Structures are given as structure tokens and as C-alpha cells.
Amino acid sequence: MREWGGGADPLDDGTAATEMDRDHSLPGGENNFEFAFNSSNFSDRVLRIEVMAETLGAGAGAGIGWDGHRKRRRNDGSKEEEFARYSSELISSCEPDTEECAEYENQDEEDEPMLEESAPITDRTGVCGDDSESNDPLSLDSPCILRVNSIYISSAILAAKSPFFYKLFSNGMKESDQRHATLRINASEEAALMELLSFMYSGKLSTTSPTLLLDVLMAADKFEVVSCMHHCTQLLRSLPMTTESALLYLDLPFSVSMASAVQPLTDAAKDYLANSYKDITKLQDVMMGLPLAGIEAILSSNDLQAASEDAIYEFVLKWARAQYPVLEERREILSSRLIRHIRFAHMTCRKLRKVLTCNDLDHELASKLVTEALFFKAEALHRQRAFSADESSHKRFTERAYKYRPLKVVEFDRPHPQCIVYLDLKREECAKLFPSGRVYSQAFHLGGQGFFLSAHCNLDQQSLFHCFGLFLGMQEKGSISFTVDYEFAARTKPSGEFVSKYKGYYTFTGGKAVGYRNLFATPWTSFMAEDSLFFINDTLHLRAELTIKQSQSPLPQ
């Protein structure tokens, strides 16, 4: 005669189920054993659950809800150390203490009121005190034990769902016929553990509370119930996301050993934050209060809207200085966590020079990143695209949705101050300009003054059709006027060579722009057509050459 918990599963033979199985085949599926939960008739063991008072450094490690996660986020800089400490506590609390188990399990059965049929789950309260003569094992050499709950369990069901319980029942008990196993948990874990045990029988959870679901997820990780982790992840993903909940989910990989089970949840949290804080220009003040994990999620997005990568770099420095006023800590956070999310390859050379002298960054690391960025800028376009598509580069070379388009600039000092500027626009970017849009380039410098290019969709005043225009502007007013010779050119099919489209000269006094309203002398529809001469692999390649041949003259007072 075999007991239920140690006997063969009636579903094992793969044939028709028994009458009992059909009666209890609930919505959860054929493996739903909800009827057996905490039932002495279908159990072979008693699980003793020692509920401990919450004390600093107490060993359980789960039960980390919303408040607990908030406290952890106050010091993101030491997260790795906290995770190591957490992991150590988790392992020590999960390992069955054979000496303590033996001490409890070897008691006579008449000393165990928890086995009474009329009270399947009962409490036994332990009182913390200073009575050193007490012989109660519940109060000696251990944190405060608030109570001891007992629950009937089937070792076969728990072992089938959890490697932790499989090892506990097969290796953790001295005698094979002993019927008691002991777990020690913090008081904050109690509700989550009961939900977890119920899930292992039924495949269901009775709660939709995000707080409790998060605690159940942590308990499922602690006791290695992967199916429950997946279930919690699905339920949490179905709930409305908030900034607070997204930040909590991002913390999970640092405290959950089986991070792959919660990856869909953390991915959803990253997407939520990236979409909620997409416009870094408008939301910069709000973002200054976000923790490190949130900033990393936002910075990793390709769709982050910013004036330029220069502006993103400046924001990261500003945030780091506010959050980590101590230089050594700030350098560590920047080097180990944040620098990897900055796309140095799309920063201006002017800003890259400042990166080399930034005291907040490790000089050796800064030099390496700047050198890599400059080599990327010097590569041919097809090579740059290959780098951008390489997943192993971790997005270092991928462009974002910059408000000001990146440029490639070549400068000369002799025989005249001169620069050649290359601006590439994708077909979809040009399409968005219709009917009256414009897009601006990043700034570049000539003769100590800042300039920019702007591409427009204009209405031709004479022919009254829309067309593509290109303009050159001076960034700010200065005390000196410039007479600049300029030439606009574009690559064209079939040769793919740059062909000059417009030449001229202009005396800049600041705040002015000059250019040509219909650069290609063709209507917008022809310019954007599939057989257009001006798009090569769906990219419009523009070039502007600027030369200062005349001496600078001060503006009249």
C-alpha cells in the first residue's frame, strides 16, 4: 500500500484518466491538484514554516515589495555589492539546516498539535525575550520567531514543481520516513509563500495586487518555481504600467537569480520608460529625479529625441553630478554604467575634444572612446552602416532620432580657411518635410563662428509647385562679418559622383541664411519618385563647401 505523496502519478501511463482525475480536472488543466492542497488525506508530509520577525540582516532575502525596492534604489551605485550580499543571504536561508530540522523533527508526535485533523494549519507563537534559561528551541540562538505555521503537503507535487523541494525531500532529511520539513522565512514573505504553495497545486494565484505579485515572484525565484515566475511575469505585464512599477521591474535582474524568466517584464519596463521619456529636451527636469536604472533604460533607446548626441552627453554629466556629488563615485558610475549608452561616434569633433579633458571621466577610457569615434567618422558610408548593424557593438554606432542631423566635416587652414560638410538624409526623413517642413544640421565651425545647414520643402514662387531647398546659416551674431564662398553639391545617378548644384558668396553678419529654394530644379514629386536621380540606396547625399577668401571686417558700431 503506497501513500499518495510517494506513489505513482495516475497520469503517468498516458492513458485514460481515473474517475478521481476526471472529477478534479479543473480549469487549470489535468495537472490541477487544488483539491489536495493542505489536505491530510492526500499528503505525506507536514511543512513547518517558521515566521521570523523582520530584523536588519535577517537571512531570508525575499519579500521585497514596493517599499523594499524603493529603499534599494536610494543607492544604485552599490547595487552589485547589494546583489552579492542578497545572494549570499538567499543561499544561506534556502539551504536546509539539518541540525535544526533534526531537532524539530525528532520531537514526539504528541508534542505536535499541528497534526490535528480539525486544524490543518495552526500557529505556534514564539516570544522574543531575554530569558537565557529557556529551553525552547524556537527562541534560542536565532532571530525572533513570531509563530510556526504547519501545512500538509505532498512531497511529490512540490518536488515536481521545484528543484529546491526536490533536493530538500531527497537529500535534506536524515530518515526517509520522517514526515516534517522546516522552512524559515521573514514575516513579509508569509503571504507570498502561501500563494506560491497554492500555485504549485492549482497553477493559479488568488491575487492581482502588483505588490503581492512581485513578492510571489521573488518567493518563486527563491524556491525555484519557474512556472510561477512566468505566471507572475504575465500577470504583471497585463497590469497598467507606471514609472514606479517600471523602475521596480528593472531592479528584478539584480535580485532574481533566474533573470531569463522575468526578461519579458523588464523589456516591457524599458520600453515604457523609453516611450514615456522620449523627448529629453522637454522632460529633462523630470528625468533628473529618476534613478540609475531608469536613466539607463532611456539612454539605451534608439528613438530618444534630443537635439544631438552632444546634448545627451551633457545631460548625462549633469545627472551624474547631481546624483553623485563625490567625484570618485561619479567616475565609477559613469565608467561602469552610463558611458556605454552614449553614442560618441555621432558627437561633434568639437565636443569630443572636450570629452578628452573632462575631469568626470577616466582619462584612459575617454581617450579610447574618442579615438573609436574618430575612426568611425573617417570610415566610408557602407562601413559605417555595417558597424551600426553589428549587434556586438551594443548600439555604440547607431544613430538616434536627433533634432539636428549629424554631419561629417573636413577642415582646412590653408591656403584659405575652408571646410567641407557632408549631410546625409534618408528618404523617409525627406518625405516628412512635405509640405512645409525643415530639418537642421548640427553646428559646424569656420573662422571661429558657428554655421549650420537646413533642408526645406518650399513652394516655388514662380512655378507654384513644391520643391527641395538647401540653405546655409550662421549660428549666432558676432562682432565680425564674414564673406563666404559656398557651393552646394549632391551625389547623382548613375555615376554616384557629387555634382555641383549651386554656387555663390554671401557676407554673413549673424542670424542670416542663404541658399537656393529649388536646389534640383525639379518638382517635389519628381525629387521623391522611386526613379529619382538623387537617392542612392534611399539616401540623399549632400555636400557644402565653404571658403573664407576675403579678410574679416568688424561690423560698424
Side-chain angles (χ1 to χ4, degrees), residues 230-450:
H230 286 298
H231 189 68
C232 289
T233 295
Q234 293 175 355
L235 290 177
L236 287 169
R237 284 191 66 188
S238 69
L239 298 176
M241 189 85 73
T242 65
T243 296
E244 182 183 32
S245 62
L247 292 171
L248 290 179
Y249 302 154
L250 288 182
D251 273 348
L252 286 174
F254 296 98
S255 56
V256 176
S257 59
M258 288 180 280
S260 60
V262 297
Q263 193 65 47
L265 185 61
T266 55
D267 288 343
K270 289 179 180 179
D271 290 341
Y272 174 84
L273 291 173
N275 291 325
S276 299
Y277 298 91
K278 181 180 293 186
D279 194 332
I280 191 173
T281 304
K282 293 181 179 179
L283 301 173
Q284 186 170 142
D285 291 341
V286 179
M287 292 169 62
M288 288 297 294
L290 294 178
L292 178 60
I295 294 297
E296 285 186 294
I298 295 168
L299 293 177
S300 65
S301 172
N302 290 338
D303 298 324
L304 184 61
Q305 296 174 358
S308 63
E309 197 69 30
D310 291 7
I312 295 175
Y313 168 77
E314 289 295 339
F315 166 75
V316 170
L317 286 184
K318 181 180 179 182
W319 181 90
R321 288 165 181 166
Q323 296 287 335
Y324 300 91
V326 178
L327 178 60
E328 289 75 14
E329 293 181 2
R330 185 163 66 250
R331 278 187 172 180
E332 173 60 27
I333 288 298
L334 285 168
S335 298
S336 63
R337 303 289 293 274
L338 291 176
I339 287 297
R340 72 183 75 168
H341 299 296
I342 298 176
R343 319 283 172 87
F344 288 92
H346 299 290
M347 290 172 61
T348 64
C349 293
R350 191 180 183 90
K351 184 63 68 174
L352 289 174
R353 293 190 190 100
K354 294 185 178 180
V355 171
L356 290 174
T357 59
C358 180
N359 193 43
D360 298 273
L361 303 177
D362 176 76
H363 180 70
E364 183 177 350
L365 177 61
S367 298
K368 178 181 178 181
L369 292 169
V370 170
T371 301
E372 181 183 66
L374 293 175
F375 273 114
F376 175 84
K377 290 177 180 293
E379 290 284 1
L381 182 60
H382 73 278
R383 292 278 297 165
Q384 291 183 355
R385 288 174 176 167
F387 282 127
S388 299
D390 186 0
E391 294 182 359
S392 65
S393 66
H394 304 293
K395 302 181 181 180
R396 294 199 312 276
F397 305 113
T398 305
E399 273 188 45
R400 306 184 200 262
Y402 302 118
K403 181 178 179 181
Y404 301 123
R405 298 296 300 140
L407 296 169
K408 182 181 289 187
V409 182
V410 181
E411 300 180 50
F412 301 94
D413 294 327
R414 300 174 183 175
H416 308 286
Q418 183 185 41
C419 66
I420 302 175
V421 182
Y422 297 90
L423 172 64
D424 294 336
L425 297 176
K426 297 177 181 177
R427 183 185 288 271
E428 56 265 30
E429 291 177 303
C430 293
K432 291 178 181 178
L433 296 179
F434 185 85
S436 58
R438 60 187 62 187
V439 62
Y440 295 93
S441 76
Q442 294 178 354
F444 58 95
H445 291 78
L446 177 66
Q449 293 293 319

Side-chain angles (χ1 to χ4, degrees), residues 449 474 476-482 508-510 552-557:
Q449 293 293 319
M474 194 159 98
E476 66 276 328
K477 288 188 177 182
S479 58
I480 297 177
S481 65
F482 288 83
F508 286 93
T509 57
Q552 305 170 9
S553 59
L555 293 174
Q557 299 296 322

